[in-house]
Amino acid sequence: MNVVRKSDELFCRLHGAGWSIGDTAFAGPGGMTWLVYGMQGGYELRSEAKSRSEAWEAACRQAEALGLIDPL
């Protein structure tokens, strides 16, 4: 059975709306931090969180606030 992770679903949502988007993770003294970053036209978004799905959700909320994707 294939399970689609929430972060993958949110990636597809943003990418399908025309965003060039990606993520990366950093390990530090406080643990792991996920960073999602993207561009569409003249717009940029950037979000950070302790979990990958939280970082993607924050990125989607930023795109929603700009009116560039439908609400979750």
Side-chain angles (χ1 to χ4, degrees):
M1 172 169 50
N2 290 335
V3 176
V4 178
R5 292 180 293 186
K6 186 171 188 175
S7 57
D8 292 337
E9 180 182 317
L10 297 173
F11 164 83
C12 289
R13 198 159 179 251
L14 286 162
H15 185 69
W19 286 89
S20 295
I21 191 106
D23 67 11
T24 192
F26 299 93
M32 191 73 88
T33 299
W34 283 91
L35 170 65
V36 174
Y37 46 90
M39 297 182 69
Q40 182 194 48
Y43 296 99
E44 295 182 25
L45 58 81
R46 181 179 189 275
S47 63
E48 288 184 36
K50 293 293 178 187
S51 79
R52 190 177 196 189
S53 62
E54 288 174 2
W56 279 98
E57 286 176 13
C60 282
R61 285 193 299 274
Q62 289 177 33
E64 287 174 10
L66 293 169
L68 298 173
I69 62 169
D70 294 330
L72 290 173

